[in-house]
Amino acid sequence: MREDPVMSTSPDDVHFSSSSHASMLAEFARSLRDSRRSMPKTVSSILRTAIRLIPDATIGCVTTVNKGERTVVASTDPLAEKLCRLQYELDEGPIPTEVRHIDVVVSDDLASESRWPQFAALAVDEGLRSLAAFQLYSNADDLGALVLYSTVPDAFDADAVEIGEALAAHAAIAMLSVRDNEQFRAGLASRDIIGQAKGMIMERFGLDAVQAFELLAKLSQQQNLPLHRVARDLVEADHPTNSTF
């Protein structure tokens, strides 16, 4: 589902069909295949490419909402981050009100925007006149959004939106892939540190593996801490340099 902005284009102004933009988008997609990229590097690449590909886009940010936790993952500059946070504080703007349900939200002129009057007025005060917000992914507890701003009205025409949608699709896959990879690595690190702690307990108290794990679980419950935290604290107490999580 998408909310269509008012578009004004001419045959001589078709950006997305140009070979240069198509090549840049293809290059961007190939670069996202690098599984070694961290989330910050991936998101920074998304923003840089968006600003390069969309002619009138000037600043932007990527934000996520995960189980109620609101995070500005990356921004082109402090103003873009400020505007992203303002949407959360005011509970106005495309991120808190529309992007969860609509793939693309465009405001052609923030000076006359009626959907988010407070936020729009503050954005205009900062010299911005139009925006486009692209949903990266959305489910019950999870949302990712790319928001781009421009200093001119009507910056996000049909071609700009088409570029943004293609970019958002690549970005969503990349961000989710990076996050899954980071969670997998964190899981492996947790298992490793728990294994080290179990080995220490088995050696020190003459317990078997099951008994050692049960002791760790009991300590976790008593201290109201995650199991990997208890294991890490035990390992660090004896071997600080061996802790990997």
Side-chain angles (χ1 to χ4, degrees):
M1 181 179 180
R2 188 188 120 193
E3 180 174 297
D4 290 324
V6 177
M7 305 297 182
S8 58
T9 59
S10 67
D12 296 326
D13 188 30
V14 181
H15 305 297
F16 186 67
S17 61
S18 70
S19 60
S20 61
H21 286 145
S23 298
M24 288 169 68
L25 187 58
E27 179 186 350
F28 169 74
R30 286 192 294 270
S31 73
L32 294 180
R33 296 176 185 173
D34 186 353
S35 61
R36 295 167 296 179
R37 278 177 176 264
S38 66
M39 182 67 79
K41 286 184 178 179
T42 298
V43 175
S44 293
S45 177
I46 292 166
L47 285 173
R48 286 196 306 271
T49 303
I51 299 300
R52 288 169 60 202
L53 283 174
I54 299 176
D56 289 321
T58 52
I59 61 173
C61 68
V62 171
T63 184
T64 60
V65 181
N66 186 8
K67 297 180 179 178
E69 182 178 352
R70 299 165 173 179
T71 305
V72 180
V73 182
S75 60
T76 55
D77 62 7
L79 177 57
E81 179 171 352
K82 175 184 176 181
L83 291 170
C84 190
R85 295 192 185 282
L86 270 175
Q87 293 188 54
Y88 292 132
E89 292 170 11
L90 298 170
D91 197 29
E92 275 195 10
I95 302 171
T97 61
E98 294 174 76
V99 175
R100 183 176 293 280
H101 311 290
I102 301 172
D103 291 344
V104 185
V105 180
V106 172
S107 176
D108 290 320
D109 193 348
L110 289 166
S112 58
E113 180 57 68
S114 60
R115 289 171 292 181
W116 335 293
Q118 285 182 279
F119 170 72
L122 290 170
V124 171
D125 287 345
E126 297 288 355
L128 298 169
R129 292 294 302 274
S130 56
L131 69 76
F134 300 89
Q135 182 192 106
L136 298 179
Y137 51 83
S138 176
N139 58 44
D141 297 319
D142 211 2
L143 171 70
L146 164 67
V147 187
L148 302 174
Y149 300 90
S150 176
T151 56
V152 298
D154 301 308
F156 302 99
D157 60 12
D159 298 317
V161 168
E162 188 175 358
I163 296 170
E165 287 182 309
L167 186 63
H170 287 301
I173 293 169
M175 286 181 67
L176 292 172
S177 176
V178 169
R179 188 172 66 179
D180 289 345
N181 188 49
E182 289 177 348
Q183 289 175 345
F184 176 71
R185 290 175 184 270
L188 288 179
S190 295
R191 290 172 59 184
D192 181 62
I193 204 72
I194 290 169
Q196 291 182 51
K198 280 173 54 181
M200 289 171 53
I201 292 171
M202 291 167 64
E203 181 180 358
R204 184 171 300 172
F205 299 106
L207 302 177
D208 62 26
V210 173
Q211 292 170 325
F213 183 82
E214 289 176 347
L215 179 55
L216 276 175
K218 185 176 181 180
L219 290 171
S220 171
Q221 186 176 18
Q222 289 175 343
Q223 298 177 27
N224 195 28
L225 291 173
L227 189 64
H228 69 80
R229 277 284 307 278
V230 174
R232 185 194 66 187
D233 292 345
L234 287 172
V235 172
E236 285 185 341
D238 278 9
H239 309 288
T241 59
N242 287 346
S243 178
T244 57
F245 187 77

